[in-house]
């Protein structure tokens, strides 16, 4: 997670695991951060100011949605069970 990430919600006891919060990085910086950490996404989609990065990490589908909101960027990540692929 970006250094200044502020968690708003976490669900981590069962799949799908969800993490939602904010960072002061802009949306392009967030995309670059995850590309540097996880490599190029398998797929990227965008819709009305929001984009979603799709990864597979240790056999688990990972979806990271990014939405710029003024000086803050909302980041929502969801990890699904390996069998949900």
């Amino acid at each position: 997670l970006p250094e200044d990430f502020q968690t708003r919600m976490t669900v981590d006891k069962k799949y799908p695991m969800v993490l939602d919060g904010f960072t002061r990085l802009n949306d392009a910086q967030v995309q670059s951060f995850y590309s540097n950490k996880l490599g190029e996404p398998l797929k990227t989609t965008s819709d009305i100011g929001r984009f979603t990065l799709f990864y597979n990490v240790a056999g688990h589908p990972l979806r990271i949605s990014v939405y710029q909101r003024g000086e803050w960027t909302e980041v929502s990540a969801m990890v699904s069970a390996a069998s949900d692929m």
Side-chain angles (χ1 to χ4, degrees), residues 2-65:
E3 205 172 285
D4 70 339
F5 187 81
Q6 295 181 20
T7 302
R8 185 173 72 172
M9 180 186 73
T10 303
V11 177
D12 60 1
K13 301 294 184 208
K14 62 180 181 172
Y15 289 106
M17 294 185 206
V18 177
L19 178 67
D20 183 77
F22 293 89
T23 178
R24 287 198 182 269
L25 297 177
N26 66 40
D27 57 359
Q29 291 170 315
V30 170
Q31 185 171 15
S32 178
F33 172 83
Y34 284 108
S35 290
N36 289 336
K37 295 291 183 185
L38 302 172
E40 290 302 311
L42 301 172
K43 177 176 145 184
T44 302
T45 61
S46 62
D47 182 33
I48 309 173
R50 177 184 307 264
F51 63 85
T52 304
L53 309 171
F54 295 85
Y55 291 95
N56 189 303
V57 178
H60 294 273
L62 168 63
R63 183 175 70 203
I64 302 169
S65 295

Side-chain angles (χ1 to χ4, degrees), residues 63-84:
R63 183 175 70 203
I64 302 169
S65 295
V66 180
Y67 178 63
Q68 184 78 46
R69 302 176 114 188
E71 63 187 55
W72 290 91
T73 301
E74 181 178 3
V75 179
S76 298
M78 184 173 76
V79 178
S80 299
S83 62
D84 290 350

